[in-house]
Amino acid sequence: MVIFSGSTEVKATPVITGTAPPEILSEAVVLMDAESGQVIFGKNADMQLMPASTTKMMTALLVMEHAKLEDTVTVGKNPPYAEGASMGFKEGEQVSVKDLLYSLVLHSANDSAEILAEHISGSVEEFALLMNEKAKELGAKNTHFVNPHGLTEEGHLTTAYDLALISREVARVPYLVDIFHTSIYKLGPTNLTPERWASNKNALLKKSDKLYYEPTVVAKTGYTPDARYAYTAVASSDGKTYIVSILKSTSQAQYYKETIELFNWAFEKCSVVKLYSKGQTLRTVILKNGDQLQLEAECDFYVISTDGDFDASPMLVYDETSVFDGDYVKGQVVSEASVRVNGSEAGTLKLVAASDAAARTPLAPEAGFTIPKVLVIALMVLVILIAVLFTIRSINLRKRRRRRSRRTSQKLREYKERQSMAAGQGRDGIY
């Protein structure tokens, strides 16, 4: 049993203690669970290599997002000179986006790829920027595209892991799935050519081929002398969906063989179970000030078995010695828990704060004693009340002093006036 924890970006090459995977000779390979994004098996999963025509998976995806199938495109001067597989489109020829997309997927036409790139972005260079932006959006962090077809150019690289992510996205587009399952397609007449045909050469998708693999959803071949053989495929059966991406294989026969063997092994022996979900509340702790703080799973936690279906009995073991006396912000890692599955250690899961919280202790209590929150509030109210009463008393005292002062001043003035009048009467008597 192999354990992985983390989001869909988690990548790992497991040391499998259950049923071993098939022997893989290709340079880089990834077997991914499509639903969770967990890597079940990987070999050089993050090694940057040339993708050849598997590049067209990204091109097809962007056509669906940025072009209208019914639009008519006029072929520019550069696409007719594209090397490799071609539909033979001529400069000035008018062809629909739909026909270009079918020829891109089925015939792996490099001229179709360039025509579509120029139609969407104005140039191959600008379209490559769009490809890289989409790759980043999908989490394909080690991918850099330079062109829409995969012909050898410096810096045009991807990884088996990134290619699996792109293929997973393609398999989510029903219209593209239908194209991949088309055996032969007749392109409509253009202003320069009456008709053309594009046929499916992908063995896993051709019902007439001895290697036909019914669970296949989408698949794309690739080859250049520099990249060697590349392949990516998505297959679904019995509620399970897996992705196999292969780069720099020894031959086409080899990558077909390894793809089918990996799919069969996954469907027969592998199962992926989510034990905990990102954001799931797993624990409530008491802060030092008496408040409660809920702790959530930082990320999804999966268990992967390579011994067939299994019943997982998970249990979280917490570090009971932790002291929660700090200030926490939402999403901050507060502690972690050990995950045990069927009695065995399975890994650790970080627990984060579900909300902001302050755990500062009011009024420094005795060791081992925490002042109850209600008492703290009562003390604070009492202090405020005393302060208010003191203020009111101070104001009243000042008012009384002012009144006494005014009365004293009035009496003094009256006394002086009487004295002055008495003195005046005496002088009148003398004169």
Side-chain angles (χ1 to χ4, degrees):
M1 184 169 62
V2 185
I3 308 298
F4 296 103
S5 62
S7 67
T8 56
E9 295 181 2
V10 169
K11 308 183 289 294
T13 302
V15 178
I16 295 176
T17 57
T19 304
E23 182 181 5
I24 301 299
L25 300 180
S26 299
E27 187 73 14
V29 178
V30 156
L31 168 64
M32 177 186 289
D33 173 60
E35 182 179 354
S36 66
Q38 297 296 301
V39 174
I40 298 172
F41 171 79
K43 175 185 177 183
N44 298 324
D46 291 324
M47 178 184 288
Q48 287 188 310
L49 295 167
M50 290 178 283
S53 284
T54 59
T55 298
K56 296 183 175 82
M57 296 292 267
M58 176 62 83
T59 303
L61 189 61
L62 292 176
V63 170
M64 293 300 300
E65 291 184 359
H66 296 276
K68 295 180 180 179
L69 297 172
E70 65 274 15
D71 283 354
T72 298
V73 182
T74 300
V75 179
K77 64 178 181 179
N78 293 319
Y81 296 98
E83 298 177 357
S86 170
M87 292 300 297
F89 292 115
K90 304 175 181 65
E91 182 179 356
E93 190 166 7
Q94 295 180 333
V95 58
S96 70
V97 169
K98 178 181 177 181
D99 287 353
L100 289 167
L101 183 57
Y102 267 85
S103 59
L104 172 85
V105 173
L106 299 179
H107 191 70
S108 197
N110 295 329
D111 53 353
S112 296
E114 289 197 14
I115 296 167
L116 288 165
E118 291 182 353
H119 171 65
I120 293 172
S121 299
S123 69
V124 166
E125 292 74 20
E126 287 298 315
F127 187 75
L129 296 178
L130 189 63
M131 297 173 77
N132 291 325
E133 182 181 328
K134 185 65 177 180
K136 185 180 295 185
E137 177 188 320
L138 296 178
K141 298 178 179 178
N142 294 311
T143 291
H144 183 261
F145 292 116
V146 179
N147 61 59
H149 38 56
L151 291 173
T152 300
E153 282 194 64
E154 185 177 357
H156 190 86
L157 300 167
T158 190
T159 68
Y161 176 78
D162 287 358
L163 184 56
L165 293 179
I166 296 168
S167 301
R168 177 172 66 167
E169 196 67 17
V170 170
R172 291 171 173 168
V173 183
Y175 192 85
L176 290 178
V177 173
D178 289 342
I179 294 178
F180 277 99
H181 283 266
T182 301
S183 298
I184 189 166
Y185 178 78
K186 181 181 179 180
L187 283 69
T190 71
N191 57 325
L192 298 179
T193 305
E195 64 180 33
R196 290 183 177 89
W197 294 87
S199 59
N200 197 330
K201 301 177 179 64
N202 196 315
L204 270 62
L205 290 165
K206 288 177 64 177
K207 291 183 179 181
S208 60
D209 197 290
K210 64 180 181 179
L211 293 177
Y212 173 67
Y213 193 73
E214 186 175 2
T216 307
V217 179
V218 296
K220 187 70 189 75
T221 61
Y223 170 80
T224 68
D226 295 312
R228 303 304 294 161
Y229 295 88
Y231 195 65
T232 185
V234 180
S236 184
S237 178
D238 296 329
K240 299 178 180 179
T241 302
Y242 297 110
I243 307 164
V244 171
S245 291
I246 296 175
L247 294 174
K248 203 171 184 179
S249 188
T250 56
S251 66
Q252 187 177 65
Q254 186 65 34
Y255 71 56
Y256 278 143
K257 175 179 178 292
E258 291 177 350
T259 298
I260 293 173
E261 288 179 348
L262 282 170
F263 276 144
N264 286 339
W265 177 70
F267 286 125
E268 294 173 7
K269 300 297 182 180
C270 300
S271 56
V272 180
V273 178
K274 181 191 287 188
L275 299 184
Y276 304 103
S277 299
K278 179 179 180 180
Q280 179 181 349
T281 300
L282 298 177
R283 187 183 187 190
T284 300
V285 298
I286 305 299
L287 303 180
K288 204 168 184 181
N289 64 3
D291 287 347
Q292 292 184 341
L293 176 62
Q294 291 185 327
L295 303 184
E296 301 174 340
E298 182 189 38
C299 56
D300 295 338
F301 191 100
Y302 293 87
V303 59
I304 300 175
S305 171
T306 60
D307 285 319
D309 293 333
F310 73 106
D311 293 323
S313 299
M315 180 177 67
L316 292 175
V317 179
Y318 303 107
D319 181 5
E320 298 299 342
T321 64
S322 299
V323 178
F324 305 100
D325 59 357
D327 291 344
Y328 304 104
V329 296
K330 183 177 180 180
Q332 178 183 347
V333 176
V334 178
S335 67
E336 63 180 31
S338 173
V339 183
R340 299 182 68 84
V341 178
N342 298 337
S344 300
E345 182 74 23
T348 57
L349 179 61
K350 292 182 179 179
L351 305 179
V352 300
S355 60
D356 296 344
R360 286 189 291 269
T361 305
L363 303 181
E366 296 179 4
F369 175 75
T370 300
I371 299 176
K373 185 177 180 180
V374 174
L375 180 57
V376 172
I377 294 174
L379 289 173
M380 292 175 65
V381 171
L382 180 60
V383 170
I384 293 171
L385 182 59
I386 291 172
V388 171
L389 293 174
F390 179 79
T391 301
I392 293 173
R393 176 175 173 78
S394 297
I395 292 172
N396 289 335
L397 287 173
R398 284 197 296 271
K399 287 181 178 179
R400 291 194 192 102
R401 284 196 294 270
R402 283 197 295 269
R403 285 197 295 268
R404 283 198 299 269
S405 177
R406 283 196 295 270
R407 286 196 296 270
T408 301
S409 298
Q410 180 64 28
K411 290 179 179 179
L412 181 60
R413 282 195 299 271
E414 291 175 354
Y415 172 75
K416 288 182 178 180
E417 288 176 358
R418 287 195 299 272
Q419 292 286 47
S420 176
M421 291 174 64
Q425 290 175 356
R427 287 194 294 272
D428 291 342
I430 295 173
Y431 293 103

